[in-house]
Amino acid sequence: MSKNTRNTAFRKVDVDQYGEEVYEEDQTADEGATGPSDAEVQSMLAKGRNGDALQYVLTNAPLTSKNQGVKDKAAQTVLKVLMSLKANEIEGSLKGLDQAKQDTLMKYIYRGFENPSEGSSAQLLVWHDKLFAATGVGSIVRVLTDRKRV
Amino acid sequence: MPDTFSFGIDPLTCHAWNHDHSQLALSPNNHEVHVYKWSDGKWKLSDVLAEHVQRVTGIDWAPKSNRIVTCGVDRNAYVWTLQPDGKWKPALVILRINRAATCVKWSPLETKFAVGSGARLISVCYFEQENDWWVSKHIKKPIRSTVTCIDWHPNNILLACGSSDFKARVFSAYIKEVDEKPNATSWGSKMPFGNLMAEFSNGSGGWVHGISFSASGEKVAWVGHDSSISVVNAADGSKLTTLKTDSLPFVTLTWIKENNIVVAGYDCSPAVFSYDGENVVLIARLDDSETKQQQGSKFSAMKHFRSLDNRATVESNDTTLETVHQNTVTQVTIYAGTKANCTKCSTSGIDGQLVIWDLRSLENSGSNSA
């Protein structure tokens, strides 16, 4: 007879972690990535430098950070910038973006769709339409496949 | 005009040509392999190879030894030899994998073949004369997910493989029983079996769907699910160049010249890209150059209303695509020529069509469309 029939702690062991098939992501987290500074963005928007604000938030996007809080804060900042540009300014600001920034912007547009607020989706659709005209489906595919989430 | 052949409504999983493309082996998305012979201007079914019990995932036809190797979801591979009476006789190859086989390729000298699988390993198989059977050796480390595509280097030793762990790798598949000691290549000089010669990440994500060595073996190119095409030039310090395209992802590719590749995938239309050492650039879309000469790309009101009238409908529900293929292209293979100079290539896809594209007209019309 087994002596330790009362000890059921083994039921709480997570057996999946010991399976040899577990895939681990490449550990390339960048702890220094803190995202765009809110103050900087505020000052740029206040001065009316909307195009520059867009460039700034896209350049400093915390793509490699593992900190969800940093990413959330950055997403809110980007959304603020996207909302503040008027419809006729959008095309002009898109012209200055290289392909990497275009892909990042598309990621933020879809991130914005995830948490809709008053009037945000309508503005985001305008952004999406204009950016899609420039990039094609490729950037949307990359929103789905890129491991560096926004 | 590209030659189109329809083999029914079922998708064509894969296809392979014999040495003079007078015969064609393909699988219509089931456990069978159909062999067709070209006679009297069409393809006639000459044989059905039905040894697999589950879907066939790869077929390769060795041009010199005239043997067919097939692999399937049933974790098996068969080597088919043509008997004097015209029938194909299968020889089972024990791959020792516990997941489906995904792809298979004969080596350039046809002394061995490699099978990629969902068991996160590559089985390299060679024929052992004493026991009269095929033996398999495994390449496992450091592959961490399904091997989706493989391609051999012309030196019969090195093997490139793409995987769903977002990496493209070059391994040595040197088997001392069948191979001579290889000379040093741009990929390295020490090539023991299973040695990882090079490993590359596919951007920041996206499965590697197709991979191909160039004719000289100095370059390797692959396509990823992030709609990218990447080329590595080992002769130039393993420099990696990537082009992120604006179309849907490509799933298959092959080199057609030392600096040109043809790719195809979810946008149903093969395209030719060129690599000049610095950039990967789109040269032509094979659909444009072929069909534009046939009908003007302008919308014709007369044609539109006439077709509505024929069908007695009010609005047009035409779901036909403008491209030749009506669904994803899953494989592109060389039809005539070699990787160094391919004159024709063939594509097969989910629409059940096999299309042969003439690449020579590309050079002629290239100067017009450039």
Side-chain angles (χ1 to χ4, degrees):
Chain A
M1 274 288 283
S2 164
K3 280 196 190 148
N4 57 347
T5 45
R6 291 209 184 205
N7 186 358
T8 56
F10 72 89
R11 296 185 186 279
K12 295 200 176 65
V13 171
D14 175 19
V15 289
D16 288 331
Q17 69 185 272
Y18 298 115
E20 51 173 54
E21 311 235 330
V22 173
Y23 174 78
E24 269 151 28
E25 200 71 55
D26 283 339
Q27 308 294 345
T28 48
D30 179 8
E31 300 307 326
T34 48
S37 136
D38 211 24
E40 270 278 344
V41 173
Q42 289 279 52
S43 74
M44 279 198 244
L45 290 178
K47 293 196 195 115
R49 288 162 50 198
N50 297 335
D52 291 341
L54 183 65
Q55 289 272 357
Y56 173 75
V57 292
L58 291 179
T59 319
N60 294 313
L63 291 168
T64 50
S65 167
K66 289 256 155 79
N67 188 333
Q68 192 54 38
V70 168
K71 290 184 189 248
D72 290 343
K73 194 166 133 323
Q76 280 171 5
T77 313
V78 174
L79 201 55
K80 209 186 311 184
V81 176
L82 294 184
M83 290 300 126
S84 63
L85 262 85
K86 291 187 240 335
N88 48 10
E89 292 175 334
I90 292 181
E91 270 199 64
S93 59
L94 286 179
K95 282 202 181 47
L97 298 178
D98 66 5
Q99 191 179 44
K101 293 206 185 67
Q102 284 174 334
D103 287 347
T104 312
L105 177 57
M106 191 57 98
K107 286 182 199 168
Y108 276 117
I109 292 176
Y110 277 98
R111 180 89 200 261
F113 282 135
E114 281 172 39
N115 310 307
S117 62
E118 195 64 49
S120 73
S121 293
Q123 175 81 332
L124 283 173
L125 278 173
V126 178
W127 272 102
H128 187 280
D129 181 44
K130 300 262 183 295
L131 182 57
F132 177 72
T135 62
V137 284
S139 70
I140 300 181
V141 173
R142 281 185 281 281
V143 170
L144 299 168
T145 57
D146 207 326
R147 305 297 287 181
K148 297 203 197 88
R149 302 226 126 103
V150 113
Chain B
M1 237 348 234
D3 293 324
T4 33
F5 304 104
S6 176
F7 291 92
I9 52 169
D10 291 312
L12 297 181
T13 328
C14 44
H15 72 276
W17 300 98
N18 70 341
H19 65 104
D20 62 358
H21 45 81
S22 59
Q23 290 189 63
L24 165 67
L26 53 83
S27 178
N29 203 37
N30 60 13
H31 62 286
E32 295 171 349
V33 174
H34 295 185
V35 182
Y36 287 83
K37 272 206 177 86
W38 180 255
S39 80
D40 301 328
K42 46 189 217 287
W43 292 104
K44 292 221 172 67
L45 183 64
S46 79
D47 217 338
V48 173
L49 314 180
E51 203 71 20
H52 283 284
V53 289
Q54 281 179 285
R55 189 171 60 93
V56 171
T57 50
I59 307 176
D60 200 17
W61 200 321
K64 297 191 201 69
S65 54
N66 204 36
R67 289 176 297 188
I68 300 178
V69 64
T70 60
C71 71
V73 170
D74 56 4
R75 299 172 274 123
N76 285 336
Y78 290 93
V79 175
W80 302 81
T81 333
L82 189 61
Q83 302 298 297
D85 66 353
K87 291 255 169 281
W88 292 89
K89 180 165 154 247
L92 171 67
V93 179
I94 311 282
L95 299 171
R96 300 181 289 125
I97 55 180
N98 57 6
R99 293 287 186 280
T102 53
C103 48
V104 63
K105 282 261 171 77
W106 281 108
S107 71
L109 296 178
E110 300 167 22
T111 48
K112 32 182 198 175
F113 61 88
V115 181
S117 69
R120 307 160 354 138
L121 54 84
I122 305 173
S123 279
V124 182
C125 307
Y126 63 98
F127 193 67
E128 205 176 71
Q129 208 57 48
E130 311 94 68
N131 296 327
D132 189 32
W133 71 335
W134 291 86
V135 176
S136 75
K137 290 183 81 169
H138 289 168
I139 299 178
K140 277 185 116 140
K141 293 201 187 339
I143 305 176
R144 295 189 294 160
S145 190
T146 304
V147 174
T148 51
C149 49
I150 47 180
D151 194 39
W152 287 93
H153 185 285
N155 73 355
N156 210 55
I157 308 288
L158 299 176
L159 190 59
C161 88
S163 166
S164 51
D165 61 359
F166 324 123
K167 300 263 187 294
R169 300 184 173 90
V170 177
F171 285 103
S172 160
Y174 169 73
I175 306 245
K176 64 179 189 313
E177 284 89 341
V178 296
D179 290 319
E180 300 280 323
K181 250 208 153 28
N183 298 324
T185 66
S186 303
W187 297 100
S189 46
K190 292 253 172 283
M191 291 178 249
F193 180 80
N195 189 28
L196 177 69
M197 310 298 290
E199 180 180 273
F200 307 98
S201 241
N202 181 49
S204 42
W207 290 359
V208 178
H209 285 306
I211 196 163
S212 181
F213 264 115
S214 68
S216 64
E218 296 291 284
K219 300 190 265 274
V220 75
W222 68 86
V223 283
H225 200 75
D226 58 346
S227 298
S228 68
I229 303 174
S230 305
V231 181
V232 168
N233 191 353
D236 188 9
S238 289
K239 180 162 135 176
L240 167 63
T241 312
T242 306
L243 170 69
K244 298 201 165 154
T245 69
D246 56 3
S247 28
L248 289 175
F250 300 114
V251 297
T252 178
L253 86 166
T254 182
W255 288 86
I256 49 172
K257 281 206 163 50
E258 189 57 34
N259 287 314
N260 289 356
I261 47 172
V262 66
V263 299
Y266 291 103
D267 59 0
C268 318
S269 164
V272 179
F273 286 80
S274 152
Y275 172 71
D276 61 3
E278 289 290 325
N279 297 304
V280 178
V281 172
L282 171 68
I283 297 192
R285 292 201 163 269
L286 298 186
D287 273 295
D288 283 348
S289 52
E290 300 284 3
T291 58
K292 242 189 194 140
Q293 285 144 24
Q294 294 297 309
Q295 67 251 60
S297 54
K298 284 214 277 291
F299 171 73
S300 158
M302 174 73 157
K303 248 189 356 186
H304 178 70
F305 286 114
R306 195 193 298 143
S307 70
L308 282 184
D309 193 37
N310 284 345
R311 276 174 285 154
T313 51
V314 178
E315 47 180 74
S316 173
N317 284 332
D318 196 4
T319 52
T320 328
L321 295 179
E322 279 178 13
T323 52
V324 175
H325 273 288
Q326 295 299 301
N327 210 322
T328 307
V329 174
T330 51
Q331 183 182 334
V332 64
T333 312
I334 297 191
Y335 174 86
T338 61
K339 273 184 182 171
N341 192 3
C342 175
T343 49
K344 289 189 182 184
C345 67
S346 62
T347 53
S348 66
I350 300 185
D351 56 357
Q353 284 191 89
L354 186 122
V355 182
I356 299 171
W357 305 84
D358 193 334
L359 300 169
R360 288 167 299 189
S361 60
L362 203 67
E363 285 163 70
N364 300 335
S365 64
S367 46
N368 302 334
S369 57

